[in-house]
Amino acid sequence: MTDPAIALIDKPAIRAEGIRKRYGELEVLKGVDLIVAAGQFTAIMGKSGSGKSTLLGIIAGLEQPDAGHVLVMGQKLAGMSDRDMADVRRRSIGIVFQGFSLIPSLTALDNVLLPTFFAAQMTAVEYRRRAMDLLNQVGLGARLNYRPSALSGGEQQRVAIARALINSPSVLLADEPTGNLDQATGAAVLDVLIDLGRTHGTSLLMVTHDSDVAARADHVVEMKDGRISHAHA
Amino acid sequence: MDILRYALSELGFRRGRSLVTVTSVALAVLAAMILTALADSYARAIRVPIETVGADVVVQLQGDIPPKLEGLVFPHPNALIPAGIVRQIHALPGVIALTRAVYLWDLEPARYESVLGIEDSDAGLAGLDGRLVDGKAINSKSRAVLIDSDFATKNHINVGDTIKVGHETFPVAGIVDAARSGKIVRADVYTPLAVAQALATVAPEVRALYPFGSDDANLVLVKVNREQLQDVVGKITTLLGKKGVVSSELSMREALSGVLFLSQSMGLIVAASIGLFAAAFVWRATASSVAERRREMAVLQAIGWTWRQIRRQVLIENVALAIAGTAAGLILAFVIAAVLGHISVTIDLPWDLSSTPHFIPQAAIDRTQTITAPVSISWPMATLTAAGGILISVLAALAVLALPQPRPWALLRSE
Ligand SMILES: Nc1ncnc2c1ncn2[C@@H]1O[C@H](COP(=O)(O)OP(=O)(O)OP(=O)(O)O)[C@@H](O)[C@H]1O
Ligand SMILES: [Mg+2]
């Protein structure tokens, strides 16, 4: 039997190596190496402006690094076509932002279904059933046909979580998903996110300012001055 | 299917913008259709006077005023057309048929009558067959005449009576209602061509001016292949020289240019500029919607849509709006065309198409004619405009979407 820890290192969900990024004069990332183990919850902490969001964007393939490369489930993002990149984002990555990420014209159910419009792993009926299932799991079984404007901030984030999970991604990325929510609501949303991440066997990489949240993570990564200053389990 | 549902939700959600786009496309389509329908209707109206003589081109030569206005004369200012020229006209490419006629005025001290001797063709005696209200038809071998129903009523003439033309007397074989028929030169008395030719040959006031032979004519009606009309008219004009009078749809158009403020090309130009305005409106509406939805588009990219798929989505929305706008415009256009019904144009008939001796003061002839033509929308026009309406919307959307792929993360990161 192989040591599970070694297996995790061998097959990480995300491997970022030597990531550098500058915006004009400002060098935001100065060579970041990061490994996110499959199926685990990794929290990124750090002061405002330390480059957490920038790193997450690069991992999601939504931002180009100046140097270094990212592998998501062993696939190297650099040099991918728009189409292949979209494929990776659809199949392997689920992403949750701070807020206001739902399409205002669509119902909760349709918002969850958005990432499946060009996917063909299941039939339309199966996708629908799965979307309803997920909305049930985030506690919105009774709000399927509500538009975002009729949902509270916490409910909107739950919809976003369900949407991020619809294609059973290997990795969930979250950039301060509760940053816009009050303490109690935020905690409830986090419970949903962390629990669902675990039940679906999804690795979770979350940027957070909240050390209580970080305390629940398998790994915590600290960013400082464009580098990872500290990582601990 | 999902894509369509998304597009429709979006359009319903942004009702204001949808309405602006649909309305501007609808107005453009409506204006284009109504303007071209009106222009078309005018174009048809100006064809009416020339069509009422049953030919595309009426050929005459200008002549002199007879020394004395009495007995049988050529209508002023009409002259003999040499037989050689008639043959040359007949041989022109594009000429389908040619009908010769002799047109005379019989001037008596107390009255006048117009006399038309004409060949058997459809533009001639055969064209009168269906217009008989009493009696029998005549043909080239007859020695009898037909008379116009208005003329018969005014002068109390019945079938079986006789009528004097020049110095000869003819039995009246039938009465025709040529006024309501269209398709033939109006006259009071219709005779076979040979009869009028024989009368003209011996008429002193004709002989005083022309060496009229027994097979000559002073009026030629030509049926022409419509595509070659301009060409044929040009050639006939050259053949006849300075004194030629060639009446056709083209000369009518020239004569009526004052009335025809709306030529067909004018209609198209106006429609095209309205189309441009509509395109600008659609472009603006699309641009503002895309600007509003930049974050939404970034989200779509983040959850695995390609930029192409996102652009197609916006395009589908625009096409849906364009189809709705075009449909609304088409329906409105058909309704308005039906409400308008027809246009009426009152025009002064030029002398060459007037069948009455307008220089006789007591005749007090009204030479204006009111022509009505239906305003109707042709299906090819509707199809073309519909395609145009959809095309401008698509082009406007494409112009907006030509923008480079944005960098989504800048819109999505949280600070
Ligand atoms: N598109 C950009 N152009 C210029 N500067 C940028 C851009 N994006 C980020 N920056 C700068 O890069 C630095 C790092 O930004 P980043 O959003 O990654 O920080 P962060 O750690 O997420 O901070 P916060 O905790 O406030 O969210 C900041 O100083 C920011 O102003
Ligand atoms: Mg940030």
Side-chain angles (χ1 to χ4, degrees), chain A residues 52-53 175-176 207, chain B residues 413-415:
Chain A
K52 307 182 294 293
S53 292
D175 193 3
E176 297 181 43
V207 172
Chain B
R413 60 173 44 242
S414 52
E415 301 294 332

Side-chain angles (χ1 to χ4, degrees), chain B residues 158-404:
Chain B
N158 296 308
V159 172
D161 292 352
T162 56
I163 183 171
K164 209 163 153 264
V165 180
H167 294 293
E168 290 196 44
T169 305
F170 297 90
V172 173
I175 293 173
V176 289
D177 179 9
R180 248 89 36 207
S181 85
K183 309 299 179 210
I184 187 145
V185 174
R186 287 289 306 280
D188 298 325
V189 181
Y190 295 95
T191 77
L193 177 62
V195 169
Q197 284 172 328
L199 288 169
T201 317
V202 297
E205 294 306 320
V206 173
R207 296 199 61 84
L209 292 173
Y210 312 107
F212 194 90
S214 62
D215 201 27
D216 280 330
N218 67 353
L219 179 68
V220 169
L221 307 171
V222 189
K223 263 224 123 14
V224 176
N225 185 350
R226 281 198 63 81
E227 279 91 71
Q228 287 162 279
L229 181 63
Q230 189 143 14
D231 202 33
V232 172
V233 166
K235 288 197 174 119
I236 295 176
T237 309
T238 319
L239 276 176
L240 293 179
K242 271 224 290 282
K243 296 233 156 180
V245 179
V246 184
S247 315
S248 70
E249 187 188 325
L250 305 175
S251 62
M252 284 303 288
R253 190 172 297 172
E254 242 164 73
L256 300 177
S257 57
V259 183
L260 292 170
F261 62 91
L262 202 65
S263 74
Q264 232 153 349
S265 50
M266 252 308 268
L268 279 181
I269 290 168
V270 175
S273 25
I274 292 171
L276 274 181
F277 270 103
F281 264 91
V282 175
W283 178 81
R284 258 201 63 76
T286 309
S288 71
S289 135
V290 166
E292 262 174 61
R293 288 163 71 190
R294 278 181 58 211
R295 191 182 154 89
E296 181 172 329
M297 291 163 104
V299 168
L300 290 177
Q301 275 183 280
I303 63 175
W305 286 42
T306 63
W307 185 236
R308 271 176 71 124
Q309 288 162 343
I310 293 167
R311 286 195 344 186
R312 192 177 58 189
Q313 190 64 32
V314 177
L315 205 60
I316 287 171
E317 291 173 18
N318 271 66
V319 169
L321 291 177
I323 289 174
T326 303
L330 282 182
I331 291 167
L332 268 179
F334 275 104
V335 168
I336 288 177
V339 169
L340 284 180
H342 61 260
I343 52 146
S344 295
V345 201
T346 302
I347 56 174
D348 253 335
L349 270 189
W351 70 265
D352 47 285
L353 290 177
S354 159
S355 59
T356 38
H358 48 275
F359 57 87
I360 296 178
Q362 63 265 39
I365 289 142
D366 180 12
R367 284 205 298 122
T368 61
Q369 185 178 357
T370 300
I371 301 162
T372 59
V375 176
S376 63
I377 283 161
S378 69
W379 283 108
M381 187 60 222
T383 314
L384 203 74
T385 320
I390 292 168
L391 192 72
I392 51 174
S393 314
V394 170
L395 288 181
L398 283 178
V400 172
L401 294 174
L403 81 184

Side-chain angles (χ1 to χ4, degrees), chain A residues 71 128 148 198:
Chain A
L71 292 110
R128 228 182 143 69
R198 287 206 201 289

Side-chain angles (χ1 to χ4, degrees), chain B residues 5-225:
Chain B
R5 193 154 40 87
Y6 181 11
L8 293 180
S9 307
E10 193 59 41
L11 295 179
F13 189 72
R14 289 168 209 275
R15 226 163 274 142
R17 160 181 121 87
S18 302
L19 214 64
V20 168
T21 308
V22 168
T23 310
S24 49
V25 172
L27 284 179
V29 166
L30 174 66
M33 300 264 282
I34 290 300
L35 284 175
T36 45
L38 277 178
D40 208 49
S41 173
Y42 272 97
R44 236 172 305 140
I46 63 166
R47 235 177 277 150
V48 169
I50 191 81
E51 271 175 358
T52 55
V53 303
D56 300 308
V57 184
V58 178
V59 181
Q60 298 172 86
L61 265 180
Q62 225 164 329
D64 302 313
I65 301 177
K68 276 186 281 182
L69 289 173
E70 57 178 48
L72 288 170
V73 299
F74 278 1
H76 165 73
N78 187 304
L80 164 72
I81 305 173
I85 290 187
V86 174
R87 271 194 303 277
Q88 277 174 280
I89 293 173
H90 204 164
L92 288 176
V95 170
I96 297 166
L98 182 144
T99 304
R100 292 177 306 147
V102 172
Y103 203 86
L104 296 165
W105 283 336
D106 191 0
L107 304 172
E108 299 297 326
R111 65 181 176 86
Y112 74 87
E113 65 207 31
S114 53
V115 181
L116 181 72
I118 194 161
E119 288 183 300
D120 272 351
S121 73
D122 281 343
L125 295 179
L128 288 171
D129 290 356
R131 294 294 136 192
L132 270 177
V133 290
D134 199 7
K136 294 188 312 225
I138 60 170
N139 61 35
S140 57
K141 291 175 195 69
S142 308
R143 278 288 302 166
V145 300
L146 299 175
I147 62 171
D148 181 73
S149 54
D150 290 344
F151 180 78
T153 312
K154 212 161 77 190
N155 296 290
H156 313 289
I157 304 172
N158 296 308
V159 172
D161 292 352
T162 56
I163 183 171
K164 209 163 153 264
V165 180
H167 294 293
E168 290 196 44
T169 305
F170 297 90
V172 173
I175 293 173
V176 289
D177 179 9
R180 248 89 36 207
S181 85
K183 309 299 179 210
I184 187 145
V185 174
R186 287 289 306 280
D188 298 325
V189 181
Y190 295 95
T191 77
L193 177 62
V195 169
Q197 284 172 328
L199 288 169
T201 317
V202 297
E205 294 306 320
V206 173
R207 296 199 61 84
L209 292 173
Y210 312 107
F212 194 90
S214 62
D215 201 27
D216 280 330
N218 67 353
L219 179 68
V220 169
L221 307 171
V222 189
K223 263 224 123 14
V224 176
N225 185 350

